[in-house]
Amino acid sequence: MVNIEDLDEVLIVGAGTMGHSIAQVFAQAGLHVELVDISQEKLKHALELIQSNLEILAEFKRVDANQISNILSRIHVSTDLAQAAKNKLYVLEAVSEVPELKEQIFKKFAQYCSDEAILASNTSSLDIFKLVKRIVNLERVIGHHWFAPPHIIPSVEVIPGRKTSQETTELVISLSEKVGKIPIVTKKFTPSYIVNKIQESISASMYELMARGVATAEQIDLAIKTTLGIRLPIVGVVQLHDFTGLDVVQSIQSEKGGSLPIVDNKVEKNHLGVKTGRGFYEYGELTEKEILNKRDRLLLQQLEFLENLTNFRPI
Ligand code: NAD
């Protein structure tokens, strides 16, 4: 059984957009990292990017500038996967999103990694469990999905498959926490997991609106940044509906000829959201007025911050 305290060396395969920055996160947390790629050029570029990422983090006091060389010294780059896989109890593939390539990497994991090693994949859109089921023991396989740029975004998704062992899942949760990330563990596998699934709906609507000439790119971005963009960090997408009122959500759905059993169920129990003190969330003893005041103070802080930051102008 692998102990989180023993996990002080990891292997990251693929040193591209994601891999270089994931390697950096582990190194920042004091772990030793083998970063493997097929391209020497990519590895050289990865180290340059990590150096400049760290300098920006130092500018924002997220990293001690005196520690940059120490952090870099914990990252060893190589093109030799067989050698790099030795003694690693956690390996993560972040190679290009090509199924055959992922299979090929997992065949190498099967060949070179110890039987105890956790075999993680950063794939965004593939069913890694289906893809590698004949290659490795699925008890040790897990989705560990990072968000760009990993050295800044606080969360990671942890996606156990049906056969992933509890031990593997717990270890990946602990490892995520050890490197300062918030692990969000899905209850079951579904393609795109949580964040990309929601992002995909937004993207589909955005492309549809542009294709139909309803709004320009600039109008869509301005509309989103000045509405959802202010609210989302405070209430997310679920609690937002508690503020809308679940009875209202239900009416909108029924006018469209649809229904949402989760919402119908809540409305039946008079769990309408903030106005009845309970919806998807429970608001305890707080009155509606107190909840709204709390939200509004947060929204006003957020608004002031964003106005000062960019005033919603494009980058
Ligand atoms: P990328 O193309 O930037 O990097 C992939 C790297 O893999 C390249 O450096 C390439 O040289 C290397 N590679 C290819 N074949 C290899 C092999 N046989 N052995 C070792 N290295 C090899 O891709 P990326 O954007 O970093 O994406 C990597 C993975 O992360 C994908 O599965 C993707 O779905 C996932 N992901 C990407 C993002 C994102 O925003 N780009 C976000 C989350 C997850």
Side-chain angles (χ1 to χ4, degrees), residues 191-315:
S192 307
Y193 326 131
I194 302 170
V195 178
N196 285 353
K197 176 126 185 113
I198 290 176
Q199 174 75 57
E200 280 163 14
S201 313
I202 294 179
S203 301
S205 302
M206 174 270 280
Y207 281 118
E208 186 196 325
L209 290 170
M210 283 207 286
R212 290 175 43 215
V214 175
T216 64
E218 290 77 10
Q219 284 177 310
I220 295 172
D221 280 340
L222 184 63
I224 294 300
K225 285 195 228 177
T226 53
T227 57
L228 300 185
I230 298 169
R231 296 191 308 218
L232 283 184
I234 310 292
V235 296
V237 291
V238 181
Q239 197 175 31
L240 179 68
H241 281 200
D242 271 3
F243 281 95
T244 305
L246 298 182
D247 49 341
V248 176
V249 174
Q250 186 186 49
S251 307
I252 295 169
Q253 270 305 313
S254 79
E255 265 163 45
K256 286 183 177 168
S259 80
L260 294 166
I262 299 176
V263 171
D264 296 343
N265 195 279
K266 299 236 176 251
V267 172
E268 229 166 76
K269 294 182 191 144
N270 201 38
H271 297 163
L272 306 182
V274 170
K275 58 189 163 195
T276 59
R278 190 165 170 185
F280 285 108
Y281 289 76
E282 287 197 31
Y283 299 90
E285 296 305 305
L286 292 178
T287 64
E288 184 186 11
K289 191 173 126 223
E290 285 166 337
I291 301 164
L292 294 178
N293 286 350
K294 199 171 168 187
R295 176 200 65 181
D296 289 357
R297 285 198 179 91
L298 290 168
L299 286 177
L300 285 163
Q301 285 181 59
Q302 168 87 332
L303 178 62
E304 198 173 308
F305 175 78
L306 291 172
E307 282 172 345
N308 288 330
L309 191 68
T310 59
N311 206 13
F312 310 107
R313 282 186 297 271
I315 288 173

Side-chain angles (χ1 to χ4, degrees), residues 13-19 36-39 42 81 93-97 101-102 104-105 108 121-125 145-148 196:
V13 186
T17 306
M18 297 304 287
V36 168
D37 203 286
I38 32 162
S39 151
K42 283 276 166 81
L81 179 55
E93 70 75 17
V95 298
S96 324
E97 192 77 330
L101 189 54
K102 306 268 185 200
Q104 194 190 315
I105 297 296
K108 291 191 177 160
S121 172
N122 190 44
T123 179
S124 297
S125 59
H145 186 237
W146 301 63
F147 295 91
N196 285 353

